[in-house]
């Protein structure tokens, strides 16, 4: 199926499980580098570190059992709470049972198809602001596309879901999110050896400061919104007005704040990474980039991107899906067994951490031909139909499937189409962006790219 012999950046897995100290050092640096070759070959893999078992599940039928059919037996679990609980509390991403259910129901309204369509103009407008900024740069300037995409998707999440004039500074928030997430790999490493959660790790004090800063920022956003109430039924309004059908209680201020923080982080960083990796892959494959540009030109007639164009950009969508196969922004899904269960005739004891290593599933030898090659033809409708649904999981699956999936897909197409219509990006020669897992899959060293704008690039003053 390969279109070309270019090898996009990846991770060479160790042939054998790593010895203990190397394992811990590697996990703390980049957990994906510690995953042995077996994860890319086997159906299920058991790992035992100092007597503590964890299980990796790669076969689509077993993934379906864990995430869908038997989802009640696999909760978000201790590890997710340990890594993210301090910042996100018991908000939608890590809550379980009835607490999760009513939070999910409370925000469902903002993710309905009709609502997402209403967001499209704001998504395109944000992408146009990025394009205009780029068009104002001297020719061949170098930009960090990873940062640029974070800026763009952050702008989108604020302008679609949050009260107007949030007063949040992206750079400050981004720094705090990075500082908070940076030591999460240490948390995973320590949990692997059964260290209690009070054991300190490198970066812990910076992460605590970052968490307090994030909470302060969100606290003042909420306070400002209370002083200037609006009739826009945004996410904050939905959260503040939600009632638990079982207890009839509404969310307290901390629940509202934690959920807002969850949506801001989960809702911009992942899409930004999907776009970043897409730009990287397109710069390695100019023939595919040409085809995307041709599709955009054909659909838009060479004019600006409009909301009605988004769903017609089928090949552009295939390219983004294939980018998320090679570089799934959420590269690892984690669960904890709630009770003793059987999986593949193997007994899994209550409390065992169960991983769905999405990055490895997406490059699994038995599931994908030429797995490390970029080939958007894999997402032609006929090819998708032939594949097991659970071999491709950028948004997860089952009841905890990403609530923002449809939002993110439209957003990624809108941003890519708007930017590609007038700009071309080329990777800094020699730069290899190794994928590094920090809750999300980020390119090491960012993504430095040189930008050229073409004649279609409108000058900034035309848009002011
Ligand atoms: C390309 C972009 C995105 C990717 C790859 C992605 C991926 C995921 C994945 C894999 C999960 C499931 C995690 C699990 O099962 O443990 C998830 C959950 C979630 N995502 Fe996304 N996401 C994206 C965009 C978004 C957006 C745009 C939003 C909101 C605006 C969002 C909000 C959430 C929330 C709130 C959850 C928790 C849902 C629950 O537990 O009920 N995500 N996401």
């Amino acid at each position: 199926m390969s279109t070309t012999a270019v090898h996009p950046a990846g991770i060479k897995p160790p042939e054998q499980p790593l010895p203990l100290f190397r394992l811990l050092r590697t996990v703390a640096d980049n957990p994906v580098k510690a995953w042995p070759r077996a994860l890319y070959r086997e159906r299920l893999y058991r790992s035992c570190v100092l007597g503590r078992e964890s299980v990796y599940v790669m076969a689509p039928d077993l993934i379906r059992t864990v995430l869908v059919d038997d989802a009640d037996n696999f909760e978000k679990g201790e590890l997710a709470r340990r890594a993210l609980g301090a910042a996100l509390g018991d908000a939608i991403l890590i809550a379980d049972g009835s607490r999760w259910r009513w939070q999910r129901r409370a925000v469902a309204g903002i993710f309905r198809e009709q609502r997402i369509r209403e967001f499209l103009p704001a998504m395109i407008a944000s992408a146009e602001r990025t394009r205009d900024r780029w068009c104002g740069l001297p020719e061949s300037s170098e930009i960090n596309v990873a940062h640029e995409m974070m800026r763009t998707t952050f702008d989108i999440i604020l302008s679609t879901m949050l009260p107007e004039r949030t007063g949040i500074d992206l750079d400050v928030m981004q720094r705090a999110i990075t500082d908070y997430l940076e030591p999460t790999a240490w948390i995973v490493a320590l949990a692997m050896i059964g260290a209690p959660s009070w054991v300190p790790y490198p970066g812990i004090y910076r992460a605590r400061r970052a968490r307090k800063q994030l909470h302060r920022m969100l606290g003042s956003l909420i306070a400002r919104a209370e002083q200037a109430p609006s009739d826009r039924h945004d996410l904050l309004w939905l959260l503040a007005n939600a009632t638990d059908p079982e207890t009839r209680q509404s969310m307290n201020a901390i629940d509202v704040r934690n959920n807002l923080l969850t949506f801001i982080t989960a809702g911009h960083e992942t899409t930004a990474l999907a776009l970043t990796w897409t730009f990287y892959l397109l710069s390695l494959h100019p023939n595919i980039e040409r085809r995307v540009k041709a599709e955009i030109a054909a659909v838009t007639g060479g004019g600006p991107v409009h909301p009605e164009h988004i769903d017609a950009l089928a090949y552009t969508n295939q390219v983004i899906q294939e980018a998320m196969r090679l570089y799934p922004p959420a590269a690892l899904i984690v669960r904890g067994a709630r009770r003793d269960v059987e999986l593949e005739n193997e007994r899994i004891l209550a409390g065992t951490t169960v991983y769905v290593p999405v990055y490895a599933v997406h490059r699994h030898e038995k599931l994908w031909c030429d797995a490390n090659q970029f080939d958007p033809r894999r997402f032609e409708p006929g090819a998708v139909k032939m594949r097991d649904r659970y071999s491709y999981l950028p948004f997860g699956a089952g009841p905890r499937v990403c609530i923002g999936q449809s939002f993110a897909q439209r957003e990624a197409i809108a941003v890519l189409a708007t930017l590609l219509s007038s700009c071309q990006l080329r990777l800094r020669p020699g730069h290899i962006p190794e994928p590094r897992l920090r809750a999300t899959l980020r390119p090491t060293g960012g993504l430095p790219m040189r930008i050229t704008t073409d004649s279609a690039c409108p000058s900034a003053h035309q848009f002011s």
Side-chain angles (χ1 to χ4, degrees), residues 76 92-93 100 104 157 266-267 270-271 335 394-396 400 402:
K76 280 287 175 144
I92 180 170
L93 190 69
W100 161 72
R104 178 125 182 164
I157 204 84
T270 41
T271 319
R335 294 290 186 270
F395 295 101
R400 305 300 295 252
C402 176

Side-chain angles (χ1 to χ4, degrees), residues 79-89 93-94 180-181 184 187 439:
L79 189 57
R81 271 190 286 277
R82 218 164 139 167
L84 301 173
L88 304 183
L93 190 69
I94 34 188
Y180 183 76
L181 292 181
T184 48
I187 297 176

Side-chain angles (χ1 to χ4, degrees), residues 318-326 373-375 378-379:
Q318 276 175 234
V319 165
I320 296 166
Q321 293 195 67
E322 171 68 345
M324 287 197 290
R325 181 187 68 81
L326 283 171
Q373 290 293 323
F374 176 58
D375 187 350
R378 300 180 205 270
F379 289 90

Side-chain angles (χ1 to χ4, degrees), residues 239-270:
L239 293 168
N241 289 283
T243 313
D244 182 341
E246 280 170 31
T247 63
R248 309 304 310 159
Q249 279 183 348
S250 43
M251 282 191 206
N252 63 32
I254 291 178
D255 289 338
V256 172
R257 179 200 69 196
N258 290 344
N259 270 298
L260 272 192
L261 182 55
T262 302
F263 278 93
I264 293 178
T265 45
H268 90 281
E269 163 126 6
T270 41

Side-chain angles (χ1 to χ4, degrees), residues 28 52 132 137 171 187 387 393:
R52 290 178 72 83
D132 294 349
L137 295 172
D171 289 331
I187 297 176
R387 236 181 352 252
L393 307 139

